[in-house]
């Protein structure tokens, strides 16, 4: 475990396109915020998106249908930014 170094599994065209935005977003986060907090916020948005999707299908509300993808976008951004922030604040481990 001590000799393990994290390497990315690869990237997709979306990663290449979104990386400048994610790097900029990571630069806006204050250093005192824990990368784990960013992960928790992203996970909470993901759970909330699921709830909004279910609610939107029952109520048939276009507004609720648009909230779910926005929350998924926030989750996706938080997931990409937490590692960048951890490396910036030197809080990353050999596992990533």
């Amino acid at each position: 475990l001590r000799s393990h170094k994290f390497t990315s599994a690869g990237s997709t065209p979306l990663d290449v396109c979104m990386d400048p935005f994610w790097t900029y977003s990571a630069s806006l986060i204050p250093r005192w915020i824990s990368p784990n907090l960013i992960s928790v916020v992203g996970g909470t948005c993901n759970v909330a998106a699921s709830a909004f999707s279910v609610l939107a299908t029952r109520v048939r509300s276009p507004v609720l249908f648009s909230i779910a993808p926005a929350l998924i976008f926030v989750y996706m951004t938080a997931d990409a930014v937490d590692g960048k922030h951890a490396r910036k604040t030197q809080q990353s481990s050999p596992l990533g």
Side-chain angles (χ1 to χ4, degrees):
L1 186 59
R2 292 179 198 264
S3 64
H4 177 76
K5 174 135 175 70
F6 174 77
T7 56
S8 176
S11 65
T12 65
L14 180 64
D15 293 334
V16 174
C17 177
M18 293 297 294
D19 192 56
F21 171 72
W22 292 332
T23 302
Y24 174 71
S25 298
S27 72
L28 297 176
I29 299 171
R31 295 181 67 85
W32 57 267
I33 291 181
S34 169
N36 291 337
L37 178 62
I38 299 168
S39 298
V40 168
V41 168
T44 303
C45 287
N46 198 14
V47 171
S50 299
F52 274 106
S53 295
V54 170
L55 185 62
T57 56
R58 294 186 184 213
V59 178
R60 303 247 183 236
S61 169
V63 174
L64 293 179
F65 275 119
S66 62
I67 291 173
L71 287 170
I72 291 172
F73 179 78
V74 173
Y75 159 72
M76 187 175 71
T77 300
D79 186 48
V81 166
D82 62 355
K84 292 179 183 300
H85 184 65
R87 288 185 290 280
K88 179 177 80 172
T89 58
Q90 299 175 346
Q91 297 181 46
S92 60
S93 72
L95 293 177

